[in-house]
């Protein structure tokens, strides 16, 4: 889906929200929520349906949905009292109330990156864009382990330039990549070992076109 509303353009394929001033950053779940509301416009989407889309097979309280709506409104300059884009239907759900126009999708990269991290035989699929690692249950990679900060680190996946970057978020116990402390952004490669506090994660990267592309990713990011 690619649509324009006011000065914004949203593209579900490239996972970008653009404005006249450049790209706006939303968390992966907030981005998915905004896409779902625009796709269903002007219909009111019930909270239960939104929960099923954003947190499939997981029970979360409505407060988590409210947090994502607030994040979207801040990003696009909307207001709950005088909504231009996202309307609250109390006791029911939310609706996209702005004027949006579907447009032809731009030419996306020839292949996307499949990215995930593995911990203790558990796999966490990473989304295009920002992925938070931490003890906060709302994290994309939730590690409920002592020594891991609530918002410990972030992994940014960008298929357009074939880059996967990691940054520590001021955690208490720090983040290591290839046994070296992370200071600023560090490029990740397939097979890298990332230590988050007391937890060791293994990074896996794969290009959807060919295995050769994955090898190119390894050479460019090391």
């Amino acid at each position: 889906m690619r649509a324009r509303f006011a000065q914004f353009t949203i593209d579900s394929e490239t996972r970008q929200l653009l404005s006249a001033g450049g790209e706006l950053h939303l968390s992966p779940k907030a981005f998915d929520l905004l896409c779902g509301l625009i796709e269903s416009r002007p219909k009111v989407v019930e909270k239960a349906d939104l929960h099923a889309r954003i947190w499939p097979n997981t029970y979360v309280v409505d407060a988590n949905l409210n947090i994502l709506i607030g994040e979207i409104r801040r990003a696009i300059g909307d207001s709950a009292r005088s909504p231009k884009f996202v309307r609250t239907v109390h006791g029911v759900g939310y609706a996209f109330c702005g004027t949006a126009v579907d447009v032809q999708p731009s030419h996306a990269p020839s292949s996307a990156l499949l990215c995930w991290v593995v911990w203790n035989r558990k796999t966490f699929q990473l989304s295009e864009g920002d992925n938070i690692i931490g003890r906060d249950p709302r994290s994309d990679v939730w590690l409920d382990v002592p020594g891991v900060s609530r918002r410990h680190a972030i992994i940014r996946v960008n298929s357009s330039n074939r880059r996967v970057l990691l940054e520590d978020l001021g955690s208490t116990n720090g983040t290591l990549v290839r046994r070296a402390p992370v200071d600023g952004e560090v490029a990740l490669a397939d097979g890298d070992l990332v230590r988050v506090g007391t937890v060791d994660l293994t990074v896996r990267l794969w290009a959807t076109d060919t295995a050769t592309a994955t090898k190119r990713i390894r050479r460019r990011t090391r």
Side-chain angles (χ1 to χ4, degrees):
M1 179 206 71
R2 183 176 172 88
R4 290 197 186 102
F5 59 100
Q7 72 270 34
F8 305 104
T9 300
I10 190 167
D11 192 326
S12 62
E13 294 297 322
T14 62
R15 295 191 67 84
Q16 288 180 300
L17 175 62
L18 306 173
S19 73
E23 185 172 357
L24 301 175
H25 293 285
L26 287 175
S27 66
K29 289 181 173 57
F31 185 90
D32 291 339
L33 175 55
L34 180 57
C35 285
L37 293 176
I38 292 175
E39 287 173 348
S40 301
R41 68 186 189 278
K43 176 185 174 182
V44 177
V45 185
E46 296 184 3
K47 291 181 179 180
D49 293 334
L50 292 173
H51 279 286
R53 177 183 179 122
I54 307 302
W55 296 281
N57 303 316
T58 303
Y59 174 77
V60 295
V61 297
D62 284 347
N64 290 335
L65 189 58
N66 297 339
I67 290 171
L68 296 183
I69 291 292
E71 180 184 345
I72 291 170
R73 283 174 170 153
R74 286 191 298 273
I76 62 179
D78 203 9
S79 167
R81 291 188 175 182
S82 302
K84 297 181 294 183
F85 303 115
V86 179
R87 178 170 63 94
T88 301
V89 182
H90 294 288
V92 181
Y94 299 92
F96 188 86
C97 59
T99 299
V101 178
D102 293 322
V103 296
Q104 291 296 322
S106 60
H107 293 290
S110 58
S111 62
L113 293 177
L114 298 179
C115 309
W116 64 98
V117 295
V118 181
W119 167 58
N120 197 24
R121 298 185 179 180
K122 186 173 183 179
T123 299
F124 297 90
Q125 182 74 43
L126 302 182
S127 303
E128 186 79 10
D130 293 349
N131 299 267
I132 299 295
I133 304 172
R135 289 187 70 184
D136 190 320
R138 294 168 294 183
S139 299
D140 303 284
V141 180
W142 181 27
L143 304 176
D144 190 15
V145 177
V148 177
S149 299
R150 291 186 64 82
R151 287 172 58 87
H152 196 108
I154 186 169
I155 296 178
R156 296 186 174 95
V157 179
N158 190 335
S159 292
S160 62
N161 62 10
R162 324 294 292 169
R163 300 277 282 177
V164 180
L165 302 175
L166 180 141
E167 182 179 358
D168 185 81
L169 295 177
S171 63
T172 301
N173 295 312
T175 306
L176 305 179
V177 175
R178 299 183 290 273
R179 299 183 180 180
V182 171
D183 183 14
E185 290 188 332
V186 175
L188 298 178
D190 182 61
D192 273 346
L193 181 67
V194 176
R195 168 152 286 205
V196 178
T198 58
V199 174
D200 288 333
L201 303 174
T202 301
V203 177
R204 301 310 312 267
L205 308 179
W206 191 259
T208 56
D209 49 1
T210 64
T212 304
T214 305
K215 294 178 182 178
R216 290 199 298 269
I217 294 167
R218 285 189 178 189
R219 289 199 294 268
R220 285 197 291 180
T221 54
R222 285 195 183 277

